[in-house]
Amino acid sequence: MTKVRHTDMADSLEKLARRVRDDLACLCAPPVNWVAPRAPADGRPVHDVVVIGGGMCGLVASFALQNAGIRNIRIFDRAPRGLEGPWVTYARMETLRSPKQLTGPAYGMASLTFRAWFTAQFGEGAWEALDKIPRPMWMDYLRWYRQVLALPVENDVDVKRIVPEGDLLRLDLAGTGRREDVVLTRRAVMATGRDGTGRPNIPDFVQHLPKTLWAHSSETIDFAALKGKRVVVIGVGASAVDNAAEALEAGAAEVRHLARRREMPTVNKLMGIGSIGFTAGFPDLGDDWRWRIMHYSFQTQTPAPRGSTLRVSRHANAHFHFDAGIDRVDLANGALEITTTSGKVLDTDFIILGTGFIVDPLARTELEGYADRIALWRDRYQPPAGLANEQLGAFPYLADDFSFIERNAGEATWLSRIHCFNYGASVSLGKTSGDIPGISEGAGWLARAIAAKLYSEDIEVHWQRLLDYETPELKGDEWTASELPDRGFDRPSQKRGAL
């Protein structure tokens, strides 16, 4: 990539920032706040929406809300500024999987795209030469996105619990960045990412082992400490492969992938049907089709990217073992003894779990005390023979506005005020609340739906606004009133045509 002086980059980004501001001005965006204000409750201000999460999902959701004229919002993220989301924490791939041309969180604005940000600094030639987006560079772009849009993310604020308080939600806060211990809001958006409605998937076979001997791929891992060690990575998905590469590059003596599958997944099936039709149409499909599509995607599995896989296989001490499920793991003489389902035994020093995340609302502290009242897919749909899937059944069965639905009507009505804008929405609403391709469309749906709900809830206020509105468009000097003539006035004569 052509080297660019720091001052030139700063100038080019400022020019792009002016372009963003001009585009927003031309679009009259964001509009003024139209939502009827709520009176403080016990002296505490009431917010219209609180967005939990300041990563990619939270940023574009907040921007969409502002563009819908919903301005009385707060955005909280538990991470320090600039470390939101996985991109520079536990994500370890060299580049993004998504093609560089996808517009992601740009929300229909060319000036907000990654391409605009990249070419402003490095030029069109560098863009043409770019293959995939480097992962740390994507985080730099998101930091700029937040800055140029002046999105008011409050960092180092952890939302511990969401509980009902009358017709509002009370959020209990922790963290060094909080300005208060409690905030009130009419609606909450859980833009909490890949594990946003669940937790890391920790298999039973490691539960009894010392934590110094294993780690999940979402955790901080001291790869330098693995130099000269034997490492086993469970799984062959993207996170498993990326962590294997990190261990190899840190000098691990060997890295062995153990996979239950009999062969490596090679085709990203959902990519083959990606279109605005799929994005827009998926939520409107019946339960049978939504389940069928997601079940097929789960069964075929998304493969690790080619570049990530080559990053591992170029090492002679990397090994891929298939049809190698784990029966048990024992601790013997300070090392780990893994017995596979085929009966073979493998000795190793450290295990990395590339086992992903599972959806489990009961694991979320934010929903503590009532998560069991959330309707799940297994509560609403019985799949046909051959399509049963425990993982899919654990996903929340959401309304069209991403909100939770009560398992039993009338027992937790406030759930409709909590919107699940994260991976947990996948089975109900498709890939519109986490993945780069559909994130702007999902944010737009979310904002419009919340706007509609806020308006209908305050319809009496808006009716009164209609009655009270008295700003004239005409001043009275634009016309002159005329008297009607008497009924017997003379009509113009009509000429007859020639006979």
Side-chain angles (χ1 to χ4, degrees):
M1 188 178 297
T2 304
K3 290 186 178 180
V4 182
R5 293 185 305 172
H6 179 74
T7 53
D8 292 339
M9 292 174 61
D11 291 344
S12 61
L13 284 179
E14 176 52 36
K15 184 181 295 184
L16 179 60
R18 289 196 297 271
R19 178 181 160 196
V20 171
R21 291 191 290 269
D22 288 344
D23 288 347
L24 289 171
C26 290
L27 294 169
C28 300
V32 297
N33 187 76
W34 55 266
V35 185
R38 284 290 185 97
D42 296 328
R44 295 172 294 179
V46 176
H47 308 291
D48 293 320
V49 184
V50 167
V51 178
I52 306 170
M56 181 179 70
C57 286
L59 292 177
V60 68
S62 302
F63 183 49
L65 288 166
Q66 289 189 348
N67 274 274
I70 303 171
R71 307 292 294 274
N72 179 23
I73 68 173
R74 299 276 292 274
I75 313 164
F76 299 133
D77 196 283
R78 64 187 177 189
R81 182 172 183 135
L83 299 180
E84 303 86 359
W87 309 108
V88 291
T89 52
Y90 67 82
R92 297 179 176 114
M93 63 282 201
E94 291 182 316
T95 65
L96 303 192
R97 172 195 297 273
S98 299
K100 65 181 181 181
Q101 66 270 17
L102 295 183
T103 56
Y107 206 64
M109 292 180 57
S111 56
L112 276 180
T113 59
F114 174 85
R115 177 173 182 169
W117 176 84
F118 182 91
T119 55
Q121 299 169 89
F122 308 111
E124 289 291 343
W127 171 258
E128 293 301 323
L130 183 68
D131 178 27
K132 297 283 188 180
I133 300 172
R135 170 182 49 80
M137 184 176 284
W138 181 255
M139 187 69 228
D140 289 338
Y141 160 68
L142 292 177
R143 291 171 180 143
W144 170 83
Y145 180 100
R146 166 184 172 173
Q147 178 184 356
V148 77
L149 294 176
L151 295 171
V153 181
E154 299 174 51
N155 288 97
D156 298 300
V157 180
D158 190 9
V159 176
K160 304 302 292 185
R161 287 197 70 204
I162 308 170
V163 294
E165 187 165 305
D167 63 348
L168 303 173
L169 298 172
R170 188 189 81 220
L171 277 57
D172 296 335
L173 307 181
T176 58
R178 73 187 189 280
R179 304 202 303 257
E180 59 268 271
D181 295 330
V182 170
V183 296
L184 297 177
T185 185
R186 297 175 66 178
R187 293 186 174 265
V189 174
M190 293 181 66
T192 40
R194 184 64 176 76
D195 63 336
T197 325
R199 57 179 174 82
N201 182 15
I202 309 296
D204 290 339
F205 58 72
V206 300
Q207 299 284 2
H208 66 288
L209 300 175
K211 192 62 180 68
T212 54
L213 298 180
W214 65 272
H216 189 269
S217 60
S218 64
E219 296 179 297
T220 299
I221 299 176
D222 183 2
F223 286 99
L226 299 181
K227 184 176 181 178
K229 300 287 185 69
R230 299 166 298 176
V231 178
V232 162
V233 178
I234 308 300
V236 287
S239 64
V241 169
D242 291 327
N243 278 267
E246 290 282 331
L248 288 161
E249 292 164 2
E254 68 175 25
V255 174
R256 296 183 182 274
H257 279 280
L258 298 185
R260 290 177 300 177
R261 291 177 173 272
R262 294 186 176 182
E263 57 186 20
M264 191 77 158
T266 58
V267 179
N268 185 353
K269 287 289 190 174
L270 287 184
M271 183 176 288
I273 60 171
S275 68
I276 187 60
F278 176 68
T279 301
F282 185 88
D284 292 334
L285 298 175
D287 290 353
D288 287 336
W289 271 113
R290 289 189 289 177
W291 182 276
R292 185 175 178 182
I293 290 170
M294 294 307 296
H295 180 272
Y296 183 69
S297 176
F298 269 50
Q299 290 299 107
T300 54
Q301 193 176 16
T302 301
R306 172 175 167 80
S308 296
T309 309
L310 289 172
R311 184 183 169 200
V312 171
S313 62
R314 66 176 175 234
H315 294 268
N317 55 339
H319 308 274
F320 293 84
H321 302 287
F322 299 96
D323 198 14
I326 309 301
D327 182 47
R328 71 176 189 274
V329 182
D330 298 307
L331 183 60
N333 300 320
L336 298 170
E337 187 178 84
I338 300 175
T339 303
T340 68
T341 50
S342 64
K344 292 186 177 181
V345 178
L346 178 68
D347 294 324
T348 194
D349 300 308
F350 195 80
I351 293 175
I352 298 176
L353 301 172
T355 46
F357 299 88
I358 59 174
V359 171
D360 178 13
L362 289 172
R364 303 303 303 187
T365 61
E366 302 98 320
L367 309 175
E368 184 180 352
Y370 57 84
D372 59 341
R373 303 182 194 181
I374 294 172
L376 307 180
W377 267 81
R378 63 172 174 251
D379 301 318
R380 293 292 192 268
Y381 180 70
Q382 182 64 43
L387 294 182
N389 188 298
E390 185 177 343
Q391 282 184 289
L392 285 181
F395 277 70
Y397 190 93
L398 301 178
D400 290 345
D401 62 353
F402 293 89
S403 66
F404 292 119
I405 295 174
E406 303 167 275
R407 176 175 294 174
N408 299 310
E411 69 176 11
T413 56
W414 69 86
L415 286 172
S416 65
R417 298 180 178 274
I418 305 175
H419 302 263
C420 179
F421 194 63
N422 56 50
Y423 175 68
S426 299
V427 181
S428 295
L429 300 171
K431 301 292 188 176
T432 57
S433 55
D435 290 352
I436 289 173
I439 190 68
S440 285
E441 286 79 6
W445 299 344
L446 173 73
R448 286 190 293 273
I450 290 178
K453 294 295 174 60
L454 292 174
Y455 191 87
S456 63
E457 289 167 8
D458 292 336
I459 186 57
E460 292 289 347
V461 175
H462 295 296
W463 169 250
Q464 192 59 48
R465 284 180 175 179
L466 174 63
L467 297 179
D468 294 343
Y469 185 74
E470 295 290 350
T471 302
E473 294 190 25
L474 297 177
K475 297 181 179 180
D477 58 356
E478 299 88 354
W479 73 94
T480 301
S482 301
E483 293 274 344
L484 278 174
D486 294 336
R487 185 173 182 181
F489 67 90
D490 294 334
R491 292 185 174 86
S493 60
Q494 296 181 357
K495 295 182 179 180
R496 295 172 178 261
L499 294 176

